[in-house]
Amino acid sequence: KTKVAILISGRGSNMKSLIQAAKDKDYPAEIIGVFSNRADAAGLDFAKDHGIQTAVISHKDFNSREAFCDALDEQLEAWGAEFICLAGYMRIHSNAFAEKWLGKMLNIHPSLLPLFKGLKPQQQALDAGVKVSGASVHEVIPELDAGPIVMQGVVPVLEDDDADRLAARILKIEHQIYPKALAHYLKVQTNTDRSAAADQSLIWPQ
Ligand code: GAR
C-alpha cells in the first residue's frame, strides 16, 4: 500500500472520507499521518481517534513560504510519506515543494476546474450563473488549481442556492469522488491493476 499523508487546515471532512475508505483491506493507500498548519483544525481529533499520528506546524512561525514548506517536507519525510492528499488545505506551496512532490500529490477543489480557481469557488459559480457545478480531484503543480484533472463530480446549481447550500451539495460529492480518484490514480501509477483502472469512470455520478 502507498503511504499517504493528508494535509488539512480545518474541518477535515474529506480527510475523514479518505481515512474511512483506507480501512478497506483492498484499498491501495494507507493513511500514515495527518498534518495541519492550524492547531485548531477540527479534523485533527478525528485522526487521533482513529490512531493516526498528527502534526501541527504553523505557517505563522516562519518568515517565508519556502521555510515553512521545508519544515512541512521534513515532517513528511520523517513519517515516510510517499504521497500527499490535500484536503481543505488552504496554503499555497513553494515551487520547490510542489516540484518535489509532482506526480505524488492530489488536491480536491469545489468547482469544475478550470472554472473558479482559488477562493470561494461556490460563490464564483453562483455569480457566473452556471447551472451545473461540482468538484475536481487534480494533480498539484506549482500553478494554483491548474494541474491535470483526475476525476470530477457534478451537481446541479438550483434557483434558490446560496453559497452554503451549493457548498453542502458539492461537499457530498467530494466525499464520494476523492477516495475513488486516489485509488484510481495509484492503480494507474503502480500499474498493478490495469483492468480495474480502465473500468473506473472518471465522472461522478456515472
Ligand atoms: C472542501 O470543500 C474542499 O474542496 C475545499 O475546502 C473544503 C474543505 O472541507 N478546498 C479548497 O477550497 C482548496 N482550495 P473539509 O475540511 O471538510 O474537507
Side-chain angles (χ1 to χ4, degrees):
K1 292 191 181 215
T2 303
K3 293 179 169 41
V4 175
I6 302 176
L7 275 49
I8 65 171
S9 296
R11 179 176 53 191
S13 70
N14 278 291
M15 171 209 76
K16 284 183 199 172
S17 80
L18 291 170
I19 289 173
Q20 303 286 19
K23 285 186 175 166
D24 188 316
K25 66 172 175 35
D26 295 326
Y27 198 76
E30 176 193 357
I31 310 303
I32 54 107
V34 171
F35 174 93
S36 174
N37 64 306
R38 296 178 56 117
D40 61 355
L44 290 168
D45 286 336
F46 182 92
K48 283 181 205 154
D49 290 347
H50 285 72
I52 297 170
Q53 60 193 335
T54 61
V56 175
I57 302 176
S58 173
H59 56 279
K60 293 181 183 157
D61 294 341
F62 297 82
N63 49 27
S64 73
R65 192 181 297 287
E66 287 69 24
F68 169 68
C69 285
D70 286 350
L72 164 58
D73 188 60
E74 252 178 55
Q75 177 62 72
L76 296 171
E77 290 296 347
W79 278 343
E82 298 166 325
F83 199 95
I84 299 170
C85 284
L86 308 181
Y89 181 69
M90 301 308 280
R91 301 298 305 166
I92 293 172
H93 304 299
S94 68
N95 282 347
F97 185 90
E99 269 155 25
K100 172 177 169 178
W101 291 93
L102 200 62
K104 298 175 198 156
M105 176 156 55
L106 296 181
N107 179 42
I108 187 157
H109 183 78
S111 76
L112 294 176
L113 290 172
L115 291 172
F116 315 137
K117 295 172 180 173
L119 293 176
K120 301 198 174 167
Q122 302 93 344
Q123 187 60 51
Q124 292 186 52
L126 292 176
D127 293 346
V130 294
K131 300 304 177 198
V132 292
S133 192
S136 306
V137 177
H138 65 94
E139 289 178 29
V140 178
I141 64 170
E143 190 187 338
L144 184 68
D145 297 333
I149 293 164
V150 178
M151 186 168 188
Q152 291 184 311
V154 179
V155 303
V157 180
L158 302 179
E159 251 348 283
D160 56 351
D161 270 352
D162 58 20
D164 287 344
R165 281 172 52 102
L166 179 57
R169 194 174 308 118
I170 293 173
L171 193 64
K172 274 193 198 158
I173 214 133
E174 293 185 45
H175 299 157
Q176 294 169 38
I177 67 171
Y178 209 173
K180 288 178 195 301
L182 174 62
H184 169 80
Y185 191 81
L186 293 175
K187 279 175 186 164
V188 170
Q189 253 193 350
T190 54
N191 224 356
T192 50
D193 191 354
R194 282 185 185 201
S195 58
D199 283 349
Q200 173 70 63
S201 166
L202 299 173
I203 307 167
W204 195 260
Q206 291 173 345

